[in-house]
């Protein structure tokens, strides 16, 4: 395995870590407005309060790894998706403000406004992440210098928009499972009933998206002929681990249900990686202009130096994240210091 492939895997691992961790707190934000009582909404905020900003470290780390290892891919993606990334940044900032400001005043109107901001920011962030992934899968117009030659509206085609909806459904399911693990009593019983809605909605979107991909993306279909066994195994496992979630919830094994949800997201990212490798940004309609792990990467020397830095940095990120989750383990309670 060459260094380019190792870095492709490493960037994928970091972005998968972000999807697993920030995915559930974005999902909690999307579910926020469906909980009516102020006490229950505070419980939801307390469930993600100690970890939501730390989860975004994985996005920063993944972006940094992409910049260091594949600078041309980074430049093309960020210039092509500039407006979308600005919207994503705005939604994340607005969402963070909502979390911090909501509890500063007890007024109903004040809290309702910030509740709306929290939910809209969370849904918009999840939706835009899905739209970006949809465009990477579908392909974007690149010229011979690997420059993006499209526009923002061109990125909003039905295929990418549907993956945005699928991503929102995925994060809502993931956030629902996390909240069941962190709550108890009547709120937990309500969240357990929601599992019967969030999982079927996500699986339906997931299956429709995969069928759509086969018919709409010839370059993905050709990859399926090259790697039918690998893609088939990962696809079946992705469906099975998600189907295992209600079983674990029914048996009261909430941590295992959350791990199943994480495994489902990991397998989904693996399915995506196997479908696009070695391409990183597919050029549509001219595949010859695509950016892959070789024509978009740094020099061999840079990849080697960054590899040794990653061997030190990634374990630090994993250790930091593990410590935070261990310290704030267990059920959440409302106290005077709560949100």
């Amino acid at each position: 395995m060459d260094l380019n492939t190792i870095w492709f895997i490493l960037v994928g691992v970091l972005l998968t870590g972000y999807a697993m961790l920030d995915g559930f707190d974005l999902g909690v934000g999307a579910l926020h407005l469906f909980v009516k009582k102020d006490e229950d909404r505070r419980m939801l905020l307390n469930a993600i309060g100690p970890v939501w900003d730390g989860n975004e470290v994985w996005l920063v780390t993944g972006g940094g790894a992409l910049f260091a290892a594949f600078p041309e891919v980074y430049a093309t993606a960020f210039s092509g998706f500039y407006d979308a990334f600005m919207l994503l940044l705005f939604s994340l900032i607005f969402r963070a403000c909502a979390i911090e400001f909501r509890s500063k005043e007890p007024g109903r109107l004040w809290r309702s406004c910030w509740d709306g901001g929290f939910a809209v920011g969370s849904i918009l962030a999840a939706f835009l992440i899905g739209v970006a992934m949809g465009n990477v899968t579908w392909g974007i117009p690149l010229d011979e210098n690997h420059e993006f030659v499209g526009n923002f509206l061109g990125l909003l085609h039905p295929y990418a928009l549907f993956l945005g909806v699928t991503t929102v459904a995925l994060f809502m399911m993931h956030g629902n499972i996390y909240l069941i693990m962190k709550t108890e009593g009547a709120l937990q019983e309500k969240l357990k009933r929601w599992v019967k809605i969030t999982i079927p909605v996500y699986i339906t979107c997931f299956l429709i998206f995969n069928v759509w991909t086969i018919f709409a993306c010839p370059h993905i279909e050709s990859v399926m002929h090259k790697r039918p066994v690998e893609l088939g195994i990962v696809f079946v496992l992705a469906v099975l681990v998600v189907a295992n979630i209600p079983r674990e919830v029914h048996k009261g094994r909430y941590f295992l249900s959350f791990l199943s949800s994480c495994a489902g997201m990991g397998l989904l990212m693996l399915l995506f990686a196997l479908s696009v490798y070695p391409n990183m940004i597919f050029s549509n309609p001219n595949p010859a202009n695509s950016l892959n792990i070789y024509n978009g990467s740094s020099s061999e020397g840079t990849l080697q130096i960054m590899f040794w830095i990653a061997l030190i940095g990634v374990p630090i990120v994993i250790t930091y994240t593990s410590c935070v989750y261990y310290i704030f383990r267990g059920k959440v309670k409302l106290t005077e210091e709560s949100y």
Side-chain angles (χ1 to χ4, degrees):
M1 184 183 297
D2 57 23
L3 270 175
N4 301 66
T5 301
I6 290 173
W7 272 101
F8 178 79
I9 295 172
L10 182 59
V11 171
V13 168
L14 291 170
L15 295 180
T16 301
Y18 171 72
M20 287 180 182
L21 297 178
D22 210 30
F24 73 73
D25 68 57
L26 289 173
V28 169
L31 293 169
H32 191 72
L33 289 182
F34 295 97
V35 177
K36 300 302 180 185
K37 293 181 181 178
D38 184 66
E39 292 79 8
D40 290 345
R41 289 183 175 180
R42 292 177 64 199
M43 289 289 286
L44 264 59
L45 288 173
N46 283 331
I48 63 169
V51 297
W52 69 268
D53 48 354
N55 292 340
E56 292 175 0
V57 168
W58 286 77
L59 178 62
V60 176
T61 309
L66 183 66
F67 173 73
F70 305 103
E72 191 155 356
V73 174
Y74 179 93
T76 299
F78 275 75
S79 60
F81 300 154
Y82 183 80
D83 293 329
F85 280 132
M86 289 305 294
L87 273 175
L88 174 63
L89 185 62
F90 177 78
S91 62
L92 290 176
I93 291 174
F94 194 71
R95 176 174 175 272
C97 293
I99 294 174
E100 296 300 330
F101 289 143
R102 181 188 186 278
S103 302
K104 301 300 182 187
E105 293 289 342
R108 185 173 179 178
L109 179 60
W110 172 270
R111 293 194 170 188
S112 296
C113 290
W114 288 117
D115 284 339
F118 178 48
V120 171
S122 301
I123 293 171
L124 183 60
F127 180 74
L128 289 171
I129 290 170
V131 171
M133 294 287 285
N135 276 288
V136 172
T137 308
W138 176 277
I140 59 175
L142 301 180
D143 64 15
E144 62 278 8
N145 296 316
H146 303 140
E147 298 290 338
F148 177 66
V149 291
N151 55 57
F152 175 69
L153 292 179
L155 301 175
L156 304 179
H157 49 83
Y159 180 84
L161 294 176
F162 186 75
L163 185 52
V165 173
T166 303
T167 304
V168 173
L170 170 63
F171 286 177
M172 290 179 75
M173 179 197 74
H174 196 45
N176 190 190
I177 304 302
Y178 177 78
L179 288 174
I180 291 173
M181 187 176 63
K182 298 294 288 183
T183 58
E184 53 192 352
L187 177 59
Q188 188 190 54
E189 291 302 316
K190 178 189 293 185
L191 293 166
K192 287 164 70 174
R193 290 194 294 273
W194 287 1
V195 166
K196 298 175 183 176
I197 302 173
T198 55
I199 291 180
V201 169
Y202 164 64
I203 289 182
T204 302
C205 291
F206 175 69
L207 294 177
I208 292 174
F209 175 75
N210 277 277
V211 172
W212 196 343
T213 299
I214 293 171
F215 289 101
C217 301
H219 56 288
I220 300 293
E221 185 188 4
S222 66
V223 173
M224 292 177 66
H225 291 299
K226 294 177 183 174
R227 306 174 187 135
V229 176
E230 296 93 330
L231 289 170
I233 291 174
V234 174
F235 178 83
V236 171
L237 286 176
V239 174
L240 288 178
V241 294
V242 173
N244 183 53
I245 293 173
R247 174 174 173 270
E248 300 297 345
V249 171
H250 179 69
K251 293 189 174 184
R253 299 186 298 215
Y254 307 130
F255 181 63
L256 288 179
S257 68
F258 183 68
L259 288 184
S260 295
S261 184
C262 289
M265 298 181 77
L267 289 166
L268 193 64
M269 291 296 283
L270 179 58
L271 191 66
F272 172 77
L274 287 172
S275 301
V276 301
Y277 178 84
N279 287 320
M280 297 197 73
I281 298 180
F282 182 76
S283 175
N284 187 2
N286 190 348
N289 296 335
S290 299
L291 276 165
N292 57 47
I293 62 172
Y294 298 106
N295 64 9
S297 72
S298 297
S299 66
E300 181 81 7
T302 301
L303 292 179
Q304 285 183 352
I305 293 171
M306 291 300 299
F307 175 72
W308 292 110
I309 294 175
L311 284 182
I312 300 172
V314 172
I316 291 175
V317 174
I318 294 173
T319 303
Y320 157 78
T321 304
S322 302
C323 288
V324 170
Y325 278 85
Y326 180 77
I327 292 169
F328 293 100
R329 68 188 182 281
K331 304 290 185 182
V332 290
K333 306 284 185 184
L334 284 184
T335 65
E336 291 183 357
E337 290 77 26
S338 297
Y339 284 95

